[in-house]
Amino acid sequence: MQRKDIRNIAIIAHVDHGKTTLVDQLLKYSGTFRENEQVDDRAMDSGDIERERGITILAKNTAVKYQDTTINILDTPGHADFGGEVERIMKMVDGVALVVDAYEGTMPQTRFVLKKALEQKLRPMVVVNKVDRPNARPEEVIDEVLDLFIELGADDDQLEFPVVYASALNGTSGLKPEEQEETMDPIFETIMKHIPAPVDSSDEPLQFQVTLLDYNDYVGRIGVGRVARGKIHVGQQVVLMKQDGTNKSYRITKLFGFLGLKRIEIEEASAGEIVAVSGLEDINIGETVCPKDHPEALPWLRIDEPTLQMTFRVNNSPFAGKEGKYITARKIEERLMKELETDVSLRIDPTDTPDAWVVSGRGELHLSILIENMRREGFELQLSKPEVIIKEIDGVECEPMERVQIDVPESYTGAVMESLGERKGEMLDMVNYGDGQVRIEFKVPSRGLLGYTTEFMSQTSGYGILNHTFEAFEPVVKGNVGGRREGVLVALENGKVSTYSILHLEDRGTIFAEPGQEVYAGMIIGEHNRDNDLTVNITKEKHLTNMRASVKDQTTNIRKARKMSLEEALQYLNDDEYCEVTPESIRLRKKILNKSEREKAAKK
């Protein structure tokens, strides 16, 4: 038996191919909202950082009514760094809609997300988005998708995928690229026809697995998941089967269903429905809720391991505590532990000292979003250089490798290939589209990509597009890979930066500090144009005398200081440096602030 009144589908795609915009249109055309209801663009991206950067970080679910059917739609992140979110979602749905850009075609992260869906034996459908782009090539893109399906080992059913063409921005769709009408019906009808309905097993004992967590000040922790079988109702006595093998008894206090962007309180839900449950205090991701007389856990959710780690420390610089609210080890530890509750792909390990923790995640973006959230909440931290995690597999030391896809104008290919060659990259493929654009694929050790983005942007004058995604752990590549080649300029003493001293230092390198900015001894205030570090006095003022100069003081022009974003600062670090992060500033500093102590340590 199948429940014909429900469909569960996840929307997957590479970053920026239009998943969230497509969900907006599906919500709008399904008549879920009232005529006069105000709905934001990219309604599903609710976090501040998600809106600012235009990316989805957390997977979210919504439900729309189409005719008499409830369609549960899950919007997933496109970045491989948030793969932990994507993998869990696949357990909640029966099919996926793969959204592909009609010009860009399949990208590295399309491959990553699709692989997860095919492994779960889900039924795919393909939406070719942005068909209104002037250089769209929908037919070729479908061929690329088919090749990718075959390469990832799709079975015969999965290869017979239906295709819909759309322009989510304009709200049009159709079964042919040239036949676009202002409606989303073709997409809805394809979902109804091709995505399997869930099996109706509501007369069997209950099984409900938590795949997403939420928190609410009134009801505490909320577990979102799919009822795998049986029925769940308010007031029911249940057992929570925990990861460590213990069982805890609870009573379900509230049940919520979804419609549009709202949660609706419901009394009962049965197999195939996606609901939110409250009343289970320390519920965690992957745990199963069962009836007391029939405890039977669902298989545990497997999450890919972290690939990158860095040390978070309590800020001990001379400026500590001036800008942040939370600076103690206890506050930082509490905040990191709270993050673990909702983020399953994060790992936090204590170190020998009580004021430092090793935090491991899925990539630079994954960790920098956590740091950005913490500094917005008022925390001060010091961070060490990000390092890749080396893992031992069958007695061999292995490091993470990434698949890199680069789109550049033809004239820049030489420079890019040379720089990736130096970073131990291996070229896999090269396609020239004939319109001056070249697409190159590489396999590069993850540590070779740390800090590469800035170099790549200057090499290609900003015309290049770089995408990379984790491929696998492989034996460690010998030799030095990547890293910064230039030395830095370090401040000699505490004080305010003067224009006079910047003028005298400009020919030594690039300055990061601005006139009037407070600096401390040991703080990095610029990049040296040679490969050694140089300690300089940037607080020196011009001596005033009562002698007149024969030349009148000319008005002085200094170059604009180089400003770094959080990601750039983390990528820039060397082993003997920290990045100091506060709600107002991002500063780079040496681990040893005193000049003579630094020189002694270097000699050793």
Side-chain angles (χ1 to χ4, degrees):
M1 271 290 285
Q2 285 185 318
R3 292 194 59 175
K4 293 291 184 197
D5 59 337
I6 292 183
R7 296 288 188 283
N8 296 323
I9 185 166
I11 294 197
I12 58 176
H14 180 80
V15 108
D16 266 353
H17 281 197
K19 296 179 293 301
T20 308
T21 312
L22 186 70
V23 175
D24 278 356
Q25 297 295 355
L26 294 175
L27 281 167
K28 196 168 127 191
Y29 279 99
S30 63
T32 305
F33 298 130
R34 296 191 314 277
E35 292 287 308
N36 59 355
E37 198 166 332
Q38 180 62 44
V39 183
D40 291 334
D41 281 347
R42 305 206 327 272
M44 299 289 279
D45 281 350
S46 49
D48 289 347
I49 299 183
E50 292 186 311
R51 289 199 153 279
E52 283 165 32
R53 301 191 184 201
I55 58 174
T56 303
I57 295 170
L58 299 171
K60 300 177 197 63
N61 56 320
T62 179
V64 301
K65 278 266 192 252
Y66 180 71
Q67 291 158 0
D68 303 325
T69 308
T70 302
I71 302 178
N72 287 310
I73 301 173
L74 287 113
D75 184 12
T76 62
H79 278 280
D81 279 23
F82 308 114
E85 298 281 322
V86 180
E87 289 165 62
R88 310 195 307 256
I89 293 300
M90 298 306 168
K91 291 274 191 225
M92 291 167 72
V93 295
D94 304 293
V96 292
L98 175 68
V99 181
V100 196
D101 185 309
Y103 168 67
E104 287 187 348
T106 58
M107 300 288 275
Q109 286 155 8
T110 317
R111 172 194 191 87
F112 167 82
V113 209
L114 184 63
K115 188 166 147 209
K116 302 285 173 210
L118 295 177
E119 280 168 7
Q120 299 282 349
K121 297 286 175 241
L122 299 176
R123 286 296 294 275
M125 60 178 273
V126 175
V127 179
V128 178
N129 192 20
K130 308 191 187 184
V131 288
D132 55 324
R133 282 182 71 160
N135 39 12
R137 42 183 196 103
E139 275 77 21
E140 292 162 47
V141 167
I142 290 296
D143 292 342
E144 282 178 26
V145 173
L146 190 61
D147 291 344
L148 183 62
F149 268 81
I150 295 168
E151 195 183 324
L152 294 177
D155 58 32
D156 294 352
D157 283 353
Q158 288 171 328
L159 286 174
E160 293 293 312
F161 55 84
V163 182
V164 187
Y165 300 89
S167 162
L169 204 61
N170 303 334
T172 64
S173 67
L175 296 174
K176 289 187 180 157
E178 58 282 354
E179 291 174 16
Q180 293 286 309
E181 286 178 21
E182 215 169 293
T183 168
M184 287 284 137
D185 283 352
I187 295 182
F188 282 127
E189 276 155 18
T190 310
I191 292 176
M192 298 295 291
K193 201 161 129 194
H194 293 276
I195 301 296
V199 176
D200 188 4
S201 55
S202 44
D203 43 359
E204 292 175 36
L206 166 71
Q207 272 186 327
F208 169 84
Q209 188 170 36
V210 183
T211 32
L212 298 172
L213 277 185
D214 204 352
Y215 185 84
N216 175 319
D217 290 340
Y218 301 107
V219 295
R221 276 179 130 171
I222 298 172
V224 180
R226 172 177 170 168
V227 184
R229 67 172 197 210
K231 284 186 176 166
I232 187 166
H233 57 81
V234 177
Q236 185 175 1
Q237 289 289 341
V238 292
V239 179
L240 179 64
M241 307 193 69
K242 309 218 29 100
Q243 187 171 3
D244 53 14
T246 57
N247 294 350
K248 285 194 172 179
S249 297
Y250 288 106
R251 194 174 136 265
I252 287 171
T253 52
K254 281 193 159 114
L255 262 185
F256 301 94
F258 295 90
L259 186 65
L261 303 174
K262 295 198 263 300
R263 282 196 186 141
I264 309 150
E265 276 202 44
I266 51 175
E267 285 302 308
E268 180 178 80
S270 47
E273 291 181 48
I274 291 177
V275 291
V277 176
S278 76
L280 318 170
E281 287 153 25
D282 55 351
I283 191 166
N284 270 313
I285 285 172
E287 297 176 345
T288 311
V289 175
C290 308
K292 283 194 155 173
D293 52 357
H294 202 288
E296 186 188 341
L298 284 160
W300 202 252
L301 297 176
R302 191 190 70 80
I303 305 290
D304 273 2
E305 295 192 23
T307 56
L308 195 74
Q309 64 184 30
M310 56 202 294
T311 310
F312 283 42
R313 296 182 156 273
V314 172
N315 188 7
N316 62 3
S317 84
F319 292 174
K322 284 189 176 178
E323 297 170 359
K325 279 194 295 194
Y326 308 114
I327 51 178
T328 59
R330 201 193 82 216
K331 284 284 185 200
I332 294 173
E333 187 164 38
E334 273 176 16
R335 175 66 182 83
L336 289 173
M337 292 307 153
K338 185 180 156 208
E339 189 67 26
L340 274 185
E341 292 183 355
T342 50
D343 189 344
V344 285
S345 38
L346 198 71
R347 225 179 42 218
I348 295 166
D349 303 303
T351 58
D352 311 339
T353 59
D355 59 354
W357 304 266
V358 176
V359 180
S360 318
R362 288 292 289 267
E364 288 168 280
L365 188 67
H366 185 191
L367 293 175
S368 69
I369 297 275
L370 166 63
I371 298 161
E372 182 62 44
N373 276 324
M374 285 176 75
R375 71 179 273 223
R376 289 182 184 202
E377 289 161 23
F379 285 88
E380 285 195 12
L381 298 164
Q382 273 182 172
L383 309 155
S384 72
K385 175 186 174 182
E387 292 169 357
V388 300
I389 295 174
I390 305 289
K391 209 165 84 171
E392 199 169 287
I393 303 173
D394 304 330
V396 182
E397 291 210 322
C398 294
E399 66 173 332
M401 300 293 276
E402 311 230 355
R403 180 182 277 258
V404 180
Q405 184 172 306
I406 288 176
D407 290 272
V408 287
E410 222 167 319
S411 49
Y412 299 112
T413 48
V416 169
M417 282 158 73
E418 185 185 348
S419 67
L420 276 175
E422 282 172 8
R423 290 166 178 269
K424 304 282 190 275
E426 179 191 330
M427 190 163 106
L428 304 174
D429 189 22
M430 183 168 172
V431 183
N432 191 332
Y433 286 123
D435 54 1
Q437 282 290 86
V438 180
R439 176 172 287 186
I440 324 173
E441 277 198 27
F442 286 92
K443 195 166 77 181
V444 188
S446 294
R447 58 196 166 119
L449 289 173
L450 290 177
Y452 178 60
T453 323
T454 0
E455 187 184 322
F456 173 75
M457 280 304 168
S458 55
Q459 269 174 357
T460 60
S461 313
Y463 286 113
I465 300 170
L466 173 97
N467 285 290
H468 57 96
T469 174
F470 171 71
E471 180 87 348
F473 274 92
E474 291 185 13
V476 172
V477 179
K478 289 194 170 54
N480 274 345
V481 178
R484 186 180 83 212
R485 299 195 185 94
E486 297 81 8
V488 286
L489 302 174
V490 186
L492 177 66
E493 52 193 46
N494 300 6
K496 277 192 174 162
V497 175
S498 69
T499 315
Y500 176 73
S501 51
I502 290 185
L503 273 173
H504 287 274
L505 290 173
E506 279 196 326
D507 53 351
R508 290 296 178 89
T510 313
I511 306 293
F512 300 162
E514 290 180 336
Q517 185 181 332
E518 291 271 353
V519 296
Y520 53 80
M523 182 168 148
I524 295 172
I525 50 92
E527 179 179 282
H528 194 191
N529 37 21
R530 305 221 172 131
D531 58 4
N532 60 325
D533 293 347
L534 191 65
T535 307
V536 295
N537 187 352
I538 196 166
T539 56
K540 185 169 63 179
E541 290 288 353
K542 184 177 179 188
H543 288 300
L544 298 176
T545 65
N546 56 5
M547 297 286 287
R548 276 196 185 162
S550 57
V551 185
K552 225 165 151 193
D553 281 349
Q554 253 94 36
T555 46
T556 48
N557 288 326
I558 57 172
R559 288 189 217 116
K560 199 168 183 282
R562 176 167 155 199
K563 284 273 168 262
M564 290 199 195
S565 68
L566 179 60
E567 272 104 348
E568 287 167 346
L570 293 176
Q571 290 176 348
Y572 191 79
L573 288 177
N574 253 348
D575 295 334
D576 62 339
E577 295 161 4
Y578 285 140
C579 173
E580 177 189 351
V581 175
T582 73
E584 288 165 37
S585 337
I586 294 168
R587 304 184 189 98
L588 298 170
R589 54 161 282 191
K590 288 288 180 189
K591 285 186 179 175
I592 304 170
L593 296 177
N594 185 307
K595 182 188 175 195
S596 50
E597 284 176 25
R598 243 196 339 270
E599 284 165 358
K600 272 185 208 157
K603 276 179 191 153
K604 279 179 194 165

